[in-house]
Amino acid sequence: MVAVSRKISAGPVFPGAEMASPESIITVKGINKVYPGQVHALKDVDLDFPAGALTTLLGPSGCGKTTLLKIIAGLLAPTTGEVLVKGRAVTGPGPERAFVFQDFALMPWATVLRNVAFGLELRNVAPKERQDIARHYIGEVGLAGFEEKYPHELSGGMRQRVGLARALAVNADVLLLDEPFSAVDEQTRRKFQEDLLRLRETERKTFLFVTHSIEEAVYLSDRIVLLSRRPGRISQIIEPKIDRSGSPDEIRRDQAYLDIVEEIWQGLRQFVD
Amino acid sequence: MDARIDDVVAARLAAEPDERARSRRQLLAWRLASIALFCAAWEFAGRIPINLAFPTFLETVEAFGEMLADGTMLRAYFITLQPLVIGVVLSGIIGVSAGVAMGLRKSVEWVGAPVFIVLQAAPVAALIPMVTFIYGIGMTAKVISVCLLALPVIVLNSYKAVANVNPSLLAMCRCFLGNRLQQIVKIILPDASPVIFAGLRLGISAGFIGIILAELLITPTGIGDLITYHRAVANYAHMYASIASIIVFSALTLTLLQWVEVTLFRPEKQR
Ligand SMILES: Nc1ncnc2c1ncn2[C@@H]1O[C@H](COP(=O)(O)OP(=O)(O)OP(=O)(O)O)[C@@H](O)[C@H]1O
Ligand SMILES: [Mg+2]
C-alpha cells in the first residue's frame, strides 16, 4: 500500500545542481549565518523547494532550523548567500510568504476573528471583506463558532489553528511553519496533521515545515531535509513517496513507512552521540 | 471535530455568560462584606476608645454629612481638584508620550531615562519647599508638586512597557507586512497598555499625595486646609471625615481609570 521510492545520498547534496526545476518556488543559495559571538548556525546551505510540495526540515536541536526558516521568511538577514522566492531575491517579508509561529503569536486583546483577519487588516482590506475571508478560514481549520472568543479562552491546539488560519487568510503561496505542533498534545497533533494534509490538497500551497518528530516528518512530507548538527548543513534529502490512500492508522503501521522512520533515525543518531 | 465534542462545546458556550455573571456577583458580595467588616472594626475601635482623638465610624459619617450639607466639603474639593486635575492630566499626557518615545527611540531613551530614574529615586516631597521658593504659593506651585510626584512613575512605566513589548508579536506584524505606524498603533500600544495604565494608576495616586502634601506644606487650602483646621480645633470626627473622603475619592478615581482601560484597550479582560 505504501510505495516507497526515495533518493538518499550519503555525502553532501547539492540539489541546486541536481534538481533545479522550473517549478521550484524557493531557492536558497550558499546561505551562511553567523550569530554575534561567532555562533556559526548555518553553513553553505543550498536548497530548492518545489512548488506545491510539503518539505520538512529535520535535525538535532540547535542546528539552525528556525534560523533557516526565519531567513527564508525575511525576518533575519543571512551573513552570506541569498534566498530567491519566485526568482526574486528576498530582502524582507513578502506577500508570497506567511509564517505560523511556534508560540502562536496571537494578539491577546483581539478576538479570533480579528487575529485571523490581521494580515488583511495590515493590508488595508475593507473590514467586511477581510472578515468574510477570515470566517471562511476559521471554518477551514475547524474553529467555526469561536470567532468572538479571545485567545486565552482557547486551548493550545485551538490557538495554533488560529495561527494557521491567519497564515492561510493572506493567500500566500508559501506557508512557513516552525514546529507548529510542539505545544499541543498527541491527539490534537494527529488531528492537526490530517487537517494539514487535507489543506494541502485543497489550498495547493507550498509548505515548509520544521519539526522534531521523525514520524511526523515521514507521515506528512513529500521531502525531508536532514540537517547536521551545528553548524547546520544539509546531510540528506529524503523523499518518502507515501501513498496516502489508506487510513492514518494503516499508514502508520505499514512496514515501508516504519522503515523510512528507522532509516532517518539511524541517520540522525550520529548527531545525538 | 466530531459531533459529540461539538455538543459539549456548544453547551459550555451557552453556560458561560451565566457563570461569569454569577462569579461577578460573588466578587461584588465579597467586596461589600470586606468593606462592612472594616467599618464595623472602625466603629468598635472608636468605641473602646483606642485614643481620645479617634472618632467612631458613625461619628465620622455624621461629620461628613454635616460638611457636605454646609458646603465646606464641596468648596474644599473644588479648590483641591483644580491643581490636581491639571497636574494629573499634564503628567498623563506628557508622561505617556515621553515614556513611549523613550521606548521607541534609543536617542530619546539616552536623554530621558536618567532624568526620570533619578527623579523617581529622589524623595520628591523634599523638593516641594523648593518649588514654593521658586514659584510662590499659587496654583503653579501646586501643579508642579503634583507633576513632580506623578510624572516619573508614569514615564518609566510607559517606557518599560514599550521597551518590553512581546518580540514575537513584533515579528508577526513584520511578517504580515505591517509598517512602522501599524506596528506602533496595532501592536506596541495595545500590548504595552496594561503596564502604561498601571503607571497611570500609580501616577494618579502619587498625584493625590502631591496635592495633599502641597496643601499641607505650602498653604493650607482645600482638603489640606480642612484637615489642618479641624485638627487645630480638635474636631477629630471632621478631620477623619476629610481624610477618609480623599482616600475614598482617590480609590474611586483609580477604579474608574481601570474601567476605562479595560473597556477601551483590553476587552479580553472583561471575560
Ligand atoms: N539571536 C541569536 N544570537 C546568538 N545565537 C543564536 C541566536 N539565535 C539562535 N542562535 C544559535 O544558533 C543556533 C541555531 O538556532 P536555531 O534556533 O535556528 O536552532 P533550531 O534548529 O531551531 O533549534 P530547536 O530545534 O531547538 O528549535 C543555536 O545554537 C542557537 O544557540
Ligand atoms: Mg527552533
Side-chain angles (χ1 to χ4, degrees):
Chain A
M1 189 207 60
V2 178
V4 188
S5 84
R6 60 211 133 106
K7 183 180 314 155
I8 299 173
S9 357
V13 177
F14 300 104
E18 195 180 335
M19 283 186 229
S21 58
E23 28 175 359
S24 85
I25 187 164
I26 299 178
T27 311
V28 172
K29 279 202 228 160
I31 292 282
N32 276 276
K33 178 68 190 178
V34 184
Y35 280 111
Q38 295 306 305
V39 181
H40 207 149
L42 290 171
K43 193 173 163 71
D44 303 328
V45 176
D46 289 285
L47 266 177
D48 264 314
F49 295 95
L54 195 154
T55 306
T56 300
L57 298 176
L58 194 65
S61 190
C63 72
K65 303 182 291 294
T66 300
T67 305
L68 182 54
L69 209 61
K70 283 191 173 164
I71 289 173
I72 294 173
L75 288 172
L76 209 62
T79 311
T80 64
E82 65 172 350
V83 176
L84 302 177
V85 176
K86 290 176 155 178
R88 257 189 278 142
V90 163
T91 52
E96 353 55 49
R97 286 155 290 152
F99 208 97
V100 178
F101 294 84
Q102 181 169 8
D103 63 355
F104 317 138
L106 302 180
M107 302 175 290
W109 57 86
T111 59
V112 167
L113 187 62
R114 180 158 179 234
N115 266 299
V116 172
F118 192 65
L120 300 166
E121 182 180 334
L122 291 175
R123 277 159 224 201
N124 299 316
V125 176
K128 171 85 174 65
E129 192 186 340
R130 67 177 188 242
Q131 283 170 10
D132 287 346
I133 297 173
R135 281 208 178 81
H136 169 73
Y137 285 103
I138 290 171
E140 281 289 291
V141 299
L143 282 180
F146 290 88
E147 288 84 353
E148 300 306 321
K149 295 273 153 189
Y150 289 96
H152 72 95
E153 299 173 292
L154 306 178
S155 69
M158 290 158 98
R159 285 180 212 176
Q160 196 50 289
R161 283 161 191 271
V162 177
L164 184 59
R166 176 177 60 195
L168 289 169
V170 293
N171 198 22
D173 305 307
V174 182
L175 261 72
L176 307 164
L177 303 95
D178 188 8
E179 295 189 44
F181 308 151
S182 64
V184 305
D185 63 74
E186 189 57 30
Q187 278 138 295
T188 314
R189 192 184 181 106
R190 292 208 172 177
K191 178 78 176 71
F192 224 145
Q193 292 169 358
E194 301 309 320
D195 287 351
L196 203 63
L197 286 176
R198 185 176 50 76
L199 279 170
R200 204 175 56 118
E201 293 306 311
T202 56
E203 298 288 330
R204 312 218 144 274
K205 295 193 186 299
T206 307
F207 287 83
L208 222 159
F209 191 94
V210 170
T211 179
H212 264 133
S213 160
I214 300 174
E215 284 84 359
E216 182 165 277
V218 177
Y219 186 68
L220 291 176
S221 315
D222 301 309
R223 230 155 147 254
I224 301 172
V225 176
L226 286 186
L227 293 173
S228 71
R229 193 160 49 192
R230 204 183 82 201
R233 31 158 99 230
I234 298 162
S235 88
Q236 281 186 7
I237 293 182
I238 296 172
E239 300 196 4
K241 293 222 164 51
I242 289 185
D243 168 20
R244 296 201 175 82
S245 58
S247 78
D249 288 333
E250 279 169 341
I251 298 173
R252 285 199 174 87
R253 273 198 298 272
D254 187 89
Q255 195 52 48
Y257 162 86
L258 294 172
D259 284 348
I260 306 183
V261 170
E262 179 60 24
E263 187 156 346
I264 294 178
W265 169 232
Q266 292 304 336
L268 280 177
R269 251 171 91 144
Q270 51 174 315
F271 304 127
V272 179
D273 300 333
Chain B
M1 219 178 278
D2 61 72
R4 197 166 35 81
I5 296 179
D6 268 346
D7 288 348
V8 175
V9 169
R12 271 208 42 208
L13 286 178
E16 258 173 25
D18 267 8
E19 231 167 79
R20 240 180 275 141
R22 181 149 23 95
S23 75
R24 212 174 289 168
R25 273 200 305 275
Q26 262 174 6
L27 189 66
L28 187 66
W30 278 111
R31 281 192 186 155
L32 289 177
S34 121
I35 292 170
L37 191 70
F38 174 78
C39 297
W42 181 353
E43 183 68 23
F44 180 72
R47 279 179 196 233
I48 294 179
I50 53 167
N51 184 318
L52 282 178
F54 188 68
T56 68
F57 174 65
L58 290 176
E59 279 165 10
T60 309
V61 171
E62 201 187 324
F64 178 77
E66 210 175 280
M67 289 194 293
L68 208 55
D70 68 11
T72 48
M73 191 64 105
L74 285 182
R75 227 172 301 129
Y77 268 96
F78 182 69
I79 292 169
T80 301
L81 284 185
Q82 290 176 46
L84 178 63
V85 169
I86 296 174
V88 161
V89 169
L90 275 181
S91 306
I93 295 171
I94 297 173
V96 173
S97 325
V100 168
M102 277 161 57
L104 291 177
R105 296 197 77 103
K106 276 270 174 281
S107 52
V108 187
E109 178 188 339
W110 286 331
V111 176
V115 178
F116 290 102
I117 290 173
V118 169
L119 260 186
Q120 199 189 23
V124 175
L127 294 180
I128 290 179
M130 201 178 79
V131 171
T132 331
F133 186 71
I134 301 172
Y135 293 97
I137 55 172
M139 184 72 120
T140 321
K142 286 178 185 158
V143 171
I144 289 178
S145 306
V146 171
C147 290
L148 267 180
L149 273 118
L151 206 51
V153 67
I154 296 178
V155 172
L156 290 178
N157 266 55
S158 308
Y159 156 61
K160 276 181 215 147
V162 170
N164 292 321
V165 160
N166 183 350
S168 109
L169 286 183
L170 293 179
M172 185 277 288
C173 186
R174 260 189 77 202
C175 230
F176 286 98
L177 308 178
N179 58 34
R180 179 68 168 157
L181 182 67
Q182 288 174 321
Q183 187 187 55
I184 294 172
V185 173
K186 292 176 191 286
I187 301 289
I188 295 179
L189 290 182
D191 197 46
S193 73
V195 181
I196 292 179
F197 270 89
L200 278 175
R201 283 197 295 276
L202 291 172
I204 289 178
S205 60
F208 271 88
I209 297 174
I211 194 63
I212 298 299
L213 275 178
E215 288 190 334
L216 293 174
L217 293 175
I218 299 178
T219 36
T221 49
I223 299 295
D225 179 40
L226 277 188
I227 296 171
T228 5
Y229 171 75
H230 288 295
R231 190 185 55 195
V233 300
N235 257 343
Y236 293 117
H238 290 74
M239 180 182 107
Y240 272 83
S242 314
I243 296 173
S245 80
I246 191 84
I247 294 174
V248 171
F249 186 82
S250 156
L252 288 179
T253 311
L254 294 183
T255 311
L256 181 73
L257 187 70
Q258 190 152 25
W259 179 83
V260 169
E261 175 200 349
V262 167
T263 345
L264 287 186
F265 290 92
R266 301 299 291 240
E268 89 277 11
K269 300 217 164 131
Q270 288 170 321
R271 299 279 173 97

